[in-house]
Amino acid sequence: MEVMRHASTFLLPSSSEGTDYLPSSVHALIILNQRLPGFAPLLWERAKLRVCADGGANRVFDGMPEFFPDDDPGEVRRRYKPDLVNGDMDSIRAEVKDYYSDLGVKILDESHDQDTTDLHKCVAFVCDGQPILEKSNLCIIVLGALGGRFDHEVGNINVLYRFSNMRIILLSDDCLIYLLPKTHRHEIYIESSVEGPHCGLIPVGAPSTSTTTTGLQWNLSETGMHFGGLVSTSNIVREAKITVQSDVDLLWTISIRKQS
């Protein structure tokens, strides 16, 4: 079975992300309608494409100047201008929409589609509408997907399953989440300066009859997991490399360290 490797090098302060175990990725950044995490400016600078999902544009407009209190807010807003605002346009404020439109930002109104979430619309745009991005090395980072309403969180997690062939990371100040497809064995390289030690493996899509791990405080050995029974939450990273193999798609989550 082919190995899929993962690492949170995109959170490291160094601009060089390539490692011996994982080549550099091309990042697209999607911002949802939640408070911007502290590393938003860093991820913005590294992304090749920046998309605001509807009310996420409000968060960028309001929140980016707060990271630079000594700078002119208008200059910060022009510097952190998204490439696209996409969604059903029920959350973006009129003045924010007009501001970005006047700056030449593309506004894609998909209010005709009420069967998919704004995140789904944005991921589909990134995957299908951007030939400038190298898809084989593409990683989509989503800010604002966690916290707030639980049904929104579930909808965002569902997008990971809808686009299981893509690398998509849901990120907050507290943790990150991504999918480990059952089609691969997984090696997760821990960046201990920015993440851990708390972690979890969660069988959201279907029960697992056999999951095996190494590198955790409480490893699994061909162990079954299901809601109503065992679920590997509140586990602890013990080694620099975690391995996971399962008969179902699993969610991997790990805590984010508070930055000084």
Side-chain angles (χ1 to χ4, degrees):
M1 184 178 288
E2 188 176 353
V3 175
M4 181 179 289
R5 296 177 174 87
H6 313 264
S8 300
T9 51
F10 54 87
L11 290 176
L12 297 176
S14 169
S15 60
S16 176
E17 292 188 56
T19 65
D20 293 338
Y21 48 80
L22 191 70
S24 295
S25 296
V26 175
H27 292 127
L29 187 65
I30 299 176
I31 301 95
L32 303 187
N33 193 10
Q34 290 288 334
R35 181 179 59 85
L36 295 178
F39 35 75
L42 171 69
L43 298 177
W44 187 284
E45 295 291 346
R46 292 181 176 174
K48 298 296 185 183
L49 180 71
R50 302 140 185 124
V51 179
C52 289
D54 197 356
N58 300 337
R59 300 293 180 161
V60 172
F61 183 90
D62 296 335
M64 279 301 189
E66 295 177 0
F67 291 114
F68 306 96
D70 296 330
D71 293 357
D72 176 67
E75 173 56 33
V76 174
R77 290 183 178 118
R78 289 188 291 272
R79 191 162 73 238
Y80 291 93
K81 177 186 70 172
D83 300 297
L84 171 74
V85 179
N86 188 10
D88 63 8
M89 302 300 150
D90 65 346
S91 300
I92 186 172
R93 301 197 306 268
E95 69 271 19
V96 174
K97 183 178 179 181
D98 291 343
Y99 178 86
Y100 286 131
S101 180
D102 290 344
L103 288 179
V105 174
K106 182 177 180 180
I107 309 294
L108 183 57
D109 185 340
E110 294 198 68
S111 55
H112 63 278
D113 177 8
Q114 292 297 311
D115 292 329
T116 62
T117 65
D118 286 337
L119 176 57
H120 186 286
K121 293 175 176 67
C122 290
V123 171
F125 177 88
V126 171
C127 293
D128 299 335
Q130 295 301 304
I132 62 171
L133 297 176
E134 175 53 54
K135 300 300 189 296
S136 64
N137 209 26
L138 176 63
C139 177
I140 300 174
I141 300 174
V142 184
L143 306 184
L146 307 172
R149 280 171 46 186
F150 179 64
D151 60 327
H152 283 170
E153 289 184 306
V154 171
N156 295 333
I157 289 170
N158 188 51
V159 169
L160 300 182
Y161 286 82
R162 293 287 294 270
F163 294 89
S164 61
N165 61 326
M166 298 297 302
R167 289 182 183 263
I168 304 174
I169 300 171
L170 309 182
L171 196 57
S172 75
D173 272 324
D174 299 309
C175 68
L176 62 78
I177 298 175
Y178 52 81
L179 193 69
L180 303 180
K182 65 181 179 182
T183 51
H184 292 73
R185 291 187 296 110
H186 297 273
E187 294 179 355
I188 304 168
Y189 293 85
I190 305 301
E191 300 294 343
S192 59
S193 64
V194 293
E195 64 183 350
H198 300 96
C199 64
L201 287 164
I202 306 172
V204 170
S208 168
T209 60
S210 179
T211 296
T212 298
T213 68
T214 65
L216 301 176
Q217 175 73 51
W218 296 283
N219 279 309
L220 306 173
S221 179
E222 298 183 351
T223 304
M225 291 193 294
H226 67 278
F227 280 92
L230 175 68
V231 176
S232 182
T233 60
S234 298
N235 214 323
I236 301 289
V237 167
R238 285 303 184 201
E239 297 180 17
K241 182 176 79 173
I242 308 301
T243 68
V244 181
Q245 184 170 347
S246 183
D247 62 337
V248 299
D249 298 342
L250 297 175
L251 290 180
W252 165 259
T253 182
I254 188 167
S255 57
I256 300 296
R257 293 186 181 274
K258 300 299 182 185
Q259 301 300 303
S260 57

